[in-house]
Amino acid sequence: MFRTFLSFASLTVVAAPAFAQDSVPAAPAAALSAPALCTDRPTKSNFACTVPQGMVQLETDIGNWTRTDAGDTRVDTILYTNPTLKVGLTGSTDIEASIAPYATVRTRTAEGTQTLHGVGDLTLRLKQRLTNPAGQVQIALLPFVKIPTAKTGIGNGQTEGGVAVPINIALPKGFTLTFGPEGDILADSDGHGHHAQLVGTANLGKAVTSKFTLIGEFWVARNFDPAAYVTQTSADIAATYLLRPTLQLDLGANFGLNQATPDAQVYLGVSTRF
């Protein structure tokens, strides 16, 4: 059942990319018609577009800080870069791998402070676009699996996964709307089984200019851990700036809307294709 669910269950949502069709100087002949950069960052979402065949794309946090407060306990998590490397296999398929090479988790309680350092978990993804890239509606399947490469305290030491189905709708006046259901298979908190998590996202991007985009997003996740069912919600904002057709900067912030959600997350990132 676990393998079956990994193939059919998860969703995320994305910021609106720039759609300029500029070619890349000195690119191979097969890539001269490649579109401008389209990314799965910022925000908690994904876009249905894939990396052009034979090309490589890097999307990474430059820095990422998350704060969680629960009673007398405060946890600060810092990612010192968090790269995702993508390779275009066909005109509609790419493979992706992401891992934080160095993370810090600092926990402060009334008794003192504990700090952990180390590598994060490795996530592998396959994105298959299902629609014509010229259409107003874009849909893709995005199965993924998380491999536990992080030490306990930074990760949970368990294999988990799911499948994302990003759905992007181009609207008039430079708006892009993204929806998507998500189903994940997560490890039980007692370490003796797995359970489902359902995620939903609504994301609206506005291309203010051909290079500058603003994004607003609402995110919700319902975790069905047998120990306790938990709902998390957040309101997220982000912006992107396209320095050139294959180089994009972004920044964003996520704000938890209930006690079960991290209070705040702030990040700065960059994406490029070569």
Side-chain angles (χ1 to χ4, degrees), residues 16-29:
F19 290 101
Q21 298 293 314
D22 298 320
S23 61
V24 183

Side-chain angles (χ1 to χ4, degrees), residues 35-223:
L37 201 63
C38 178
T39 68
D40 286 327
R41 59 170 303 121
T43 73
K44 296 185 177 79
S45 21
N46 298 278
F47 217 75
C49 57
T50 56
V51 177
Q53 183 176 4
M55 304 197 76
V56 177
Q57 189 160 303
L58 176 66
E59 304 174 18
T60 183
D61 288 314
I62 297 172
N64 186 314
W65 167 75
T66 303
R67 171 175 171 171
T68 304
D69 289 302
D72 294 332
T73 300
R74 170 177 168 175
V75 180
D76 292 279
T77 302
I78 302 173
L79 305 181
Y80 302 93
T81 74
N82 185 24
T84 295
L85 190 66
K86 303 179 177 182
V87 178
L89 297 182
T90 72
S92 60
T93 309
D94 66 35
I95 55 172
E96 309 173 3
S98 63
I99 189 170
Y102 192 74
T104 296
V105 178
R106 182 177 294 110
T107 304
R108 298 180 176 91
T109 65
E111 288 72 35
T113 300
Q114 178 188 49
T115 303
L116 298 174
H117 305 281
V119 66
D121 288 322
L122 171 65
T123 300
L124 302 176
R125 314 198 309 177
L126 174 72
K127 186 189 289 186
Q128 178 62 56
R129 179 171 46 78
L130 303 178
T131 51
N132 187 321
Q136 287 189 308
V137 178
Q138 297 294 309
I139 303 173
L141 291 178
L142 185 56
F144 63 91
V145 60
K146 186 206 77 177
I147 299 171
T149 53
K151 67 172 74 172
T152 301
I154 295 178
N156 63 1
Q158 300 289 329
T159 300
E160 299 172 323
V163 86
V165 187
I167 304 169
N168 317 124
I169 304 169
L171 301 175
K173 300 185 182 299
F175 285 95
T176 299
L177 183 63
T178 301
F179 295 107
E182 178 177 338
D184 303 324
I185 289 292
L186 304 182
D188 293 348
S189 56
D190 63 8
H192 295 299
H194 289 80
H195 63 274
Q197 174 176 262
L198 300 178
V199 181
T201 319
N203 178 302
L204 184 65
K206 164 63 175 174
V208 180
T209 72
S210 62
K211 296 183 177 181
F212 180 60
T213 300
L214 293 174
I215 307 111
E217 180 178 80
F218 177 76
W219 173 87
V220 59
R222 178 67 167 170
N223 188 313

Side-chain angles (χ1 to χ4, degrees), residues 252-274:
N254 307 326
F255 303 97
L257 299 179
N258 64 3
Q259 292 185 342
T261 310
D263 295 82
Q265 182 179 38
V266 180
Y267 57 87
L268 174 68
V270 63
S271 302
T272 188
R273 190 177 67 214
F274 47 91

